[in-house]
Amino acid sequence: MLVLGVHQAPARSLLYATGQVQNPEDMKKPFIAICNSYVEIVPGHTHLRELADIAKEAIREAGGIPFEFNTIGVDDGIAMGHSGMRYSLPSRELIADSAETVITAHWFDGVFFLPNCDKITPGMLMASLRCNVPSIFVSGGPMKAGLDAKGNAATLSTMFEAVGSFKSGLMTKDEFLQMEQNVCPTCGSCAGMFTANSMNTLMEMLGVTLPYNGTALATSTERRDLIREGAKQLMRLVKENVKPKDLITKEALDDAIALDMAMGGSTNTVLHVLAIAHEAGIDYNQEDINKIAKKVPYLAKIAPSSNWSMEDVHQAGGIPAIMNELVRMGNILHPDRMTVTGKTIRENVANHEILNDEIIRRFDVNPYSKEGGISILYGNLAPDGAAIKAGGVDASVKQFTGEAIVFDSEGDAVKAIDAGQIHAGHVVVIRYEGPKGGPGMPEMLGPTSALTGMGLGKEVALITDGRFSGATRGISVGHVSPEAADQGPIALIHDGDQITIDLVDRSIHLHVSDAKLAERKTQLKPFKPKIKHGWIARYQSLVTSANTGAVLKGADELFG
């Protein structure tokens, strides 16, 4: 319809002007969007310009006409620790909105999505579901692991923890500077199972990308081969009219969560899976996640929960080997779902065996635990739930009770940590940093890493209505809902209150009576938004709670 008929002659004239369309025969070919996220300040994206050119060439060879456009991107590691982090999670909505705009306005026949880091992958997934035209995803791939001062494998999380070690005198200046220059040696998403790689691996299970998308290195020839194969498969999807909503079903989301549990992914995946379900029109909630966690074993402990990097996982068999192990269990996955390869999940991973069972463990031999690496906690402190990367907590810690020390911002907490005010037995509470209160639900990798680097990873807990980087480990509870800005119980905590975090019962409890909490609530002052201009001000007026994926209110909620 975009180019057919006399009335569309002006549109055809403009298409000739782009140089992508050369003659009337080209007008008959499928128009393919390449949704790129090339951003020079994001190391996971600096090579995407090259990958887009490979995709264009492959699309033309397969009979399509490629048109590239770009989205924004935020590097969480660079934006962290200052007001820029307020823009990270909200950028997911901008990415989805901008991609939806370009794709829908120009009636593309198919879309090649080229994401990699943090909020870009989920933002593009959300856009694909809104537009629901044949699509494929091939991300930019992970970077190689770097080295610390002693020559051991290191990732960005190692560097964040080194900040705490250096400040507390456990690391020399020379060691610190050596690490700074060597932990991120190549382009690509950070080398551990952080948010970017968690999402890029989950796409393998969702069925919207190719096997090994999550682990083939950004610098490898294999990554470039994935781009070429992805372009060919996309042209087949266009011909057969296979759309994202045909693939991303309730069963696919369940399976993605199962994979997340098996490899101990980022707690941010909880936010993003809920948001993706929302765009797909699928009723999904955090209780579904806990049900899956209880039956999926923890098979692959990857950095920051170990020293293994994504490259190590790739060499051990990659995500297909983990998926095949889950298929072998027989009652975990829905393995006969179709994928973008034209094959089922079962067919995609058949014969993909574990090549190193120290890195990827077998469910019936030596799993790290019988239950998954992420837990949703409930209790009087989080009636609507909170998330913890249980696989990143020291195995000796099953329950932690401590004394609250309360901060109304991340900055205040960091100052207290740097000043040595946090001691063993404390539960650090950082509030008014949720989706609305932050605004933007900033990540707390700085304070959690500082505590770990100071040797307090098992001795101190941290809870927040904000969120954590996938690089976070330790007793770190995020997404506490309702948030403080909505007068959730986290807003009622006082210094000295006792808090219990129970990983076995999946509970979080504030040891204050209901009557006392009710009295405290009457004394709360109304929340005053921190930002009153720009689009973030609009965002904080529309954003919903973390337990619903921090999506924006729709017309039904705004107008009834």
Side-chain angles (χ1 to χ4, degrees), residues 150-165:
K150 298 179 181 178
N152 299 316
T155 67
L156 184 65
S157 64
T158 319
M159 192 68 238
F160 269 95
E161 292 174 9
V163 172
S165 297

Side-chain angles (χ1 to χ4, degrees), residues 175-253:
E175 289 173 332
F176 186 72
L177 293 177
Q178 191 277 340
M179 282 187 64
E180 180 180 317
Q181 297 174 46
N182 290 282
V183 295
C184 296
T186 70
C187 64
S189 49
C190 296
M193 188 56 77
F194 312 147
T195 303
N197 292 329
S198 295
M199 291 306 303
N200 291 331
T201 55
L202 291 195
M203 286 198 296
E204 293 190 40
M205 186 65 92
L206 286 174
V208 298
T209 190
L210 305 174
Y212 299 110
N213 176 73
T215 56
L217 289 181
T219 53
S220 66
T221 56
E222 189 173 358
R223 177 59 51 181
R224 281 126 189 94
D225 290 340
L226 285 174
I227 295 287
R228 295 185 185 94
E229 179 61 24
K232 294 176 185 177
Q233 293 291 355
L234 175 58
M235 297 308 295
R236 180 189 56 78
L237 294 170
V238 171
K239 183 178 180 180
E240 298 176 4
N241 199 31
V242 178
K243 301 175 181 179
K245 285 187 178 180
D246 297 327
L247 303 176
I248 299 180
T249 60
K250 173 66 161 60
E251 290 75 19
L253 293 173

